[in-house]
Amino acid sequence: MPLMFEKPLGMVDTLPALYDRASEIRHNIEQETGRWGYRAIQTPSLEYYETVGEASAIHDQQLFKLLDREGQTLVLRPDMTAPIARVVSSSMKNEPLPLRLSYCNALYRSQQKEGGVRAEFEQFGVELVGDASMNADGEVIALLTSTLRAAGLSAFRLAVGHVKYMNALFKENVSQETANVLRRYLYEKNYVSYRQYVDQLQLSAEAKNRLKHLQRLRGGPEVLPEAKKITDNREAHEALAEIEDLWEILEDLGVSESLQVDLNLVLHIDYYTGVVFEGYGDSLGFPLASGGRYDELLGKFGRPASATGFGIRLDWLLEALNHFEGETLVRHSTLILFSKERQREAVQEANKRRQNGEAIIMQNRAGVPDVAAFAEKYKEVISFAGETDDE
Amino acid sequence: MSEDWITFAMPKGRIFEEAAHLLRQAGYPLQEDFSAGRKLIVEAPEANMKFFLAKPMDVPTYVEHGVADIGVAGKDVLMEERRDVYEVLDLAISACHLAVAGLPHRRKGRIAPKIATKYPNIATQYFKEQGEQVEVIRLSGSIELAPLIGLAERIVDIVSTGKTLKENGLAELETIDHVTSRLIVNPVSYRMKDRQIDEIVQRLSVIVEEGRSRHEDHTG
């Protein structure tokens, strides 16, 4: 039996100082995405495993599952993209596309590793559904940078890749099975095994060089002509043309300086279908945000449409930000201490101040065991104590 | 941010010496005696590098959490720990292999033979792939003892020369994988300090390549 004060593995409490800081950031972010025309929605914490659970990009073993009274398997939502796809295809099916939606919700992913790893965390994100143009990818990336800036993060970078370029390069040189192995190595960030695997393939030296050259395609837009040289495949060239287009859009939007092209970027084995990106902040070891184009998901819910979006881990963003500012924000409120005889006077004063937007704590002296110790915590203390009191 | 320090997490002992030697060959000025003594953190200001010494098994953890930008870790440790880090370069030092070993004439007839190891994840994965049902027992050292005293039939461990196995009357039964030390990089450092880190990787890979071709000249 767990101890009385214990929480399930991976769950945390949020105390007032952190809560205030988090809501301030959330507010800033939502204002910013609101200015870009994104409307927030909320969906239930529980979804059906067979629909949203299966469509989600999160691995099965990371899902929290339970049974409802009819014996249907439910999941605690592991991401918001699949629920939003469900909503767009059902409750919002008559809304014309493109749709611009945002969300800020707790997500649940069970962890196999250490106890402290978060199994419930808040994510903020946007989805732009129904616009297949590069401007949609550009808008989502630009919005991510301005959102991070609005949250107060100054030093960050985004890496941008394209799933189709890599897939085309693999298809041109190796079998589907080999391509799957190579993609998995890149997904696992295991570049050593990627090269070793290429080395032992039965391929021409040129083909091996092309596959190994992929690893060097990382940096500014100057890698794009280089990427073009190692393949004649039409789809690969189309993907590169898309990135060029995207780059131009992002330059026009004024956000290209924190970007880096990385054609090795694999964020998920088979979920994304086009441009993908990941965001990193200084002072934090984990990527803060990620996203990309997923044109096949909406079809699973019966309303085929292209879509792109991003998600930001709010807990990690908060950590990255606190490191910058050095301290957490403390809200100061004013304390009105009163005794029973002067209660009415105290209430009048409190109402007056509250109407002016001040935070007022009203405290009957009789309810506090140690008035001095209690009052010490407040910047301003106003006393309405009876005549007999020695105030 | 070109003037940032690069922090390395390094395993104590021989691997540290070998890796420091590679860095020196790659042109980074590290003093000869700088791992002498018992200091856990040493600095090489001329090279803008900071090193801290850790237990080999913990190196990927430090790198994953970003307290070190770069680490040097054995492939065995990476396979066991499965941390989210970039594995960018095979340093080709401290070569050995992961193997299954046991008494040459082992007792049969168990429902699930017992396997003693420091690497429970690797052992579980390996026997699963072989379709063999086993019970994995985690030990933290002196693995060779387990079959001798009857705790387990076989062990999974790293073998370099095979001398320890032989001295204890054990034989290597199967090879699981080859192991060398790898250079690993934190995913955020990989992006935020890309210029410095790319240069370190580039310079080291030249040295490693030279070493490899020299080795091939000798043997072939």
Side-chain angles (χ1 to χ4, degrees):
Chain A
M1 188 168 128
L3 297 171
M4 201 50 93
F5 52 76
E6 229 181 335
K7 298 179 290 278
L9 207 65
M11 301 293 161
V12 297
D13 301 316
T14 303
L15 303 186
L18 184 61
Y19 184 89
D20 285 350
R21 184 86 180 98
S23 25
E24 191 189 319
I25 291 168
R26 204 182 301 124
H27 174 75
N28 292 343
I29 288 178
E30 278 179 342
Q31 260 197 330
E32 183 60 22
T33 52
R35 282 192 282 260
W36 290 58
Y38 285 72
R39 304 286 305 274
I41 72 165
Q42 216 164 19
T43 67
S45 304
L46 289 173
E47 295 272 2
Y48 284 119
Y49 169 69
E50 276 182 68
T51 58
V52 169
E54 297 251 280
S56 145
I58 306 306
H59 296 298
D60 212 67
Q61 69 265 26
Q62 279 196 291
L63 302 179
F64 280 103
K65 293 183 198 134
L66 53 152
L67 297 176
D68 70 3
R69 277 162 63 176
E70 280 100 47
Q72 296 265 27
T73 309
L74 308 178
V75 291
L76 277 167
R77 61 164 175 249
D79 66 16
M80 273 299 286
T81 307
I84 284 182
R86 176 181 60 68
V87 171
V88 168
S89 317
S90 55
S91 317
M92 297 181 87
K93 68 168 180 284
N94 295 322
E95 294 281 338
L97 300 177
L99 270 169
R100 287 170 168 81
L101 298 170
S102 74
Y103 61 86
C104 187
N105 275 132
L107 304 182
Y108 304 88
R109 293 177 196 167
S110 98
Q111 301 293 346
Q112 277 88 41
K113 283 190 187 167
E114 290 99 331
V117 176
R118 299 284 291 267
E120 179 189 39
F121 55 88
E122 215 174 342
Q123 182 171 293
F124 177 86
V126 306
E127 311 291 349
L128 172 42
V129 180
D131 181 352
S133 78
M134 269 302 116
N135 286 79
D137 297 78
E139 174 171 316
V140 164
I141 293 174
L143 182 53
L144 174 58
T145 63
S146 73
T147 301
L148 290 174
R149 250 185 230 126
L153 196 71
S154 51
F156 60 85
R157 262 191 202 181
L158 300 182
V160 180
H162 200 308
V163 172
K164 276 188 189 149
Y165 175 80
M166 182 188 300
N167 287 350
L169 183 71
F170 287 163
K171 208 164 137 193
E172 194 184 27
N173 290 289
V174 296
S175 71
Q176 182 65 41
E177 277 157 46
T178 307
N180 289 343
V181 177
L182 291 172
R183 198 175 303 113
R184 169 141 315 258
Y185 281 135
L186 294 182
Y187 171 68
E188 289 172 351
K189 307 186 177 74
N190 187 347
Y191 291 173
V192 173
S193 296
Y194 175 90
R195 289 192 297 267
Q196 287 174 347
Y197 187 75
V198 168
D199 270 330
Q200 54 86 45
L201 288 172
Q202 301 289 332
L203 287 179
S204 67
E206 293 84 45
K208 285 185 185 181
N209 279 336
R210 284 195 290 271
L211 291 172
K212 284 203 233 171
H213 199 110
L214 174 64
Q215 297 237 287
R216 293 204 293 278
L217 299 177
R218 186 163 66 88
E222 71 279 357
V223 304
L224 298 176
E226 215 182 308
K228 211 172 283 178
K229 265 187 251 158
I230 63 168
T231 172
D232 294 324
N233 185 285
R234 195 173 50 87
E235 280 172 44
H237 282 222
E238 277 169 10
L240 291 173
E242 284 191 354
I243 301 181
E244 270 168 27
D245 188 15
L246 175 70
W247 201 269
E248 215 179 284
I249 293 165
L250 290 168
E251 266 172 356
D252 287 345
L253 286 163
V255 294
S256 60
E257 88 271 22
S258 48
L259 299 188
Q260 189 192 43
V261 175
D262 184 351
L263 295 174
N264 295 278
L265 196 64
V266 182
L267 298 179
H268 190 277
I269 284 298
D270 54 14
Y271 185 72
Y272 292 106
T273 56
V275 169
V276 288
F277 51 90
E278 196 167 45
Y280 317 88
D282 212 350
S283 84
L284 186 76
F286 306 98
L288 290 170
S290 65
R293 185 165 276 287
Y294 52 97
D295 287 347
E296 274 152 30
L297 180 68
L298 271 289
K300 290 184 186 167
F301 291 94
R303 191 186 186 184
S306 59
T308 175
F310 69 73
I312 305 175
R313 282 278 302 244
L314 281 187
D315 52 338
W316 285 344
L317 177 61
L318 216 61
E319 268 184 50
L321 286 169
N322 275 341
H323 206 245
F324 275 106
E325 311 214 330
E327 56 176 290
T328 54
L329 189 111
V330 185
R331 286 268 157 82
H332 297 287
S333 24
T334 302
L335 175 65
I336 294 185
L337 274 172
F338 65 96
S339 58
K340 186 73 189 154
E341 310 83 77
R342 297 180 67 185
Q343 180 170 300
R344 180 164 301 168
E345 232 180 302
V347 169
Q348 278 165 357
E349 179 68 17
N351 284 346
K352 203 175 75 196
R353 284 173 177 257
R354 280 177 182 147
Q355 266 162 18
N356 291 331
E358 208 176 324
I360 303 294
I361 288 179
M362 285 194 69
Q363 179 61 54
N364 187 339
R365 294 177 70 103
V368 191
D370 185 344
V371 175
F374 179 69
E376 213 174 61
K377 302 254 180 194
Y378 297 87
K379 209 171 60 178
E380 196 186 345
V381 182
I382 302 163
S383 193
F384 290 95
E387 290 88 347
T388 49
D389 216 290
D390 58 345
E391 277 293 315
Chain B
M1 54 200 68
S2 57
E3 296 308 309
D4 277 345
W5 285 83
I6 297 289
T7 306
F8 283 74
M10 302 284 262
K12 294 177 212 171
R14 200 173 48 106
I15 301 179
F16 178 80
E17 294 303 331
E18 285 180 276
H21 182 62
L22 283 179
L23 282 167
R24 265 183 223 112
Q25 283 181 302
Y28 292 99
L30 314 179
Q31 302 102 305
E32 278 301 326
D33 60 338
F34 93 134
S35 69
R38 292 176 168 275
K39 273 176 88 169
L40 290 177
I41 302 175
V42 282
E43 293 185 355
E46 311 79 20
N48 250 4
M49 289 173 177
K50 222 180 274 184
F51 297 82
F52 64 83
L53 304 183
K55 250 187 127 79
M57 209 60 135
D58 296 337
V59 167
T61 312
Y62 291 112
V63 176
E64 183 185 45
H65 286 260
V67 290
D69 300 306
I70 295 183
V72 173
K75 182 66 188 170
D76 54 330
V77 176
L78 294 174
M79 285 166 71
E80 177 65 20
E81 290 283 310
R82 297 193 149 270
R83 296 282 166 176
D84 188 23
V85 294
Y86 280 98
E87 186 180 329
V88 291
L89 185 64
D90 182 352
L91 294 173
I93 54 174
S94 335
C96 55
H97 58 275
L98 270 164
V100 184
L103 293 166
H105 308 289
R106 67 170 191 271
R107 194 157 45 102
K108 299 216 172 178
R110 291 246 196 187
I111 294 165
K114 289 178 180 168
I115 311 291
T117 184
K118 264 195 294 199
Y119 305 98
N121 295 333
I122 295 176
T124 307
Q125 179 72 21
Y126 176 74
F127 287 106
K128 197 156 64 172
E129 280 165 11
Q130 303 298 308
E132 195 178 341
Q133 60 177 4
V134 296
E135 182 183 335
V136 173
I137 301 172
R138 187 202 176 121
L139 294 178
S140 47
S142 304
I143 312 297
E144 296 82 5
L145 201 54
L148 301 180
I149 56 169
L151 174 66
E153 282 75 31
R154 281 171 286 169
I155 63 171
V156 167
D157 206 3
I158 46 168
V159 181
S160 45
T161 58
K163 208 169 145 219
T164 319
L165 288 181
K166 205 175 274 173
E167 277 175 5
N168 289 294
L170 299 175
E172 190 178 325
L173 305 170
E174 290 150 65
T175 303
I176 298 178
D177 215 337
H178 292 280
V179 172
T180 46
S181 292
R182 308 291 162 92
L183 199 71
I184 57 174
V185 181
N186 171 268
V188 176
S189 307
Y190 186 71
R191 308 290 174 182
M192 301 299 284
K193 300 181 178 176
D194 55 342
R195 215 165 300 159
Q196 283 161 290
I197 288 176
D198 286 352
E199 192 182 334
I200 293 171
V201 174
Q202 178 52 35
R203 276 157 79 165
L204 280 174
S205 66
V206 171
I207 300 299
V208 172
E209 256 339 290
E210 279 173 17
R212 190 171 287 148
S213 50
R214 204 173 317 132
H215 183 74
E216 272 159 18
D217 286 347
H218 282 301
T219 54

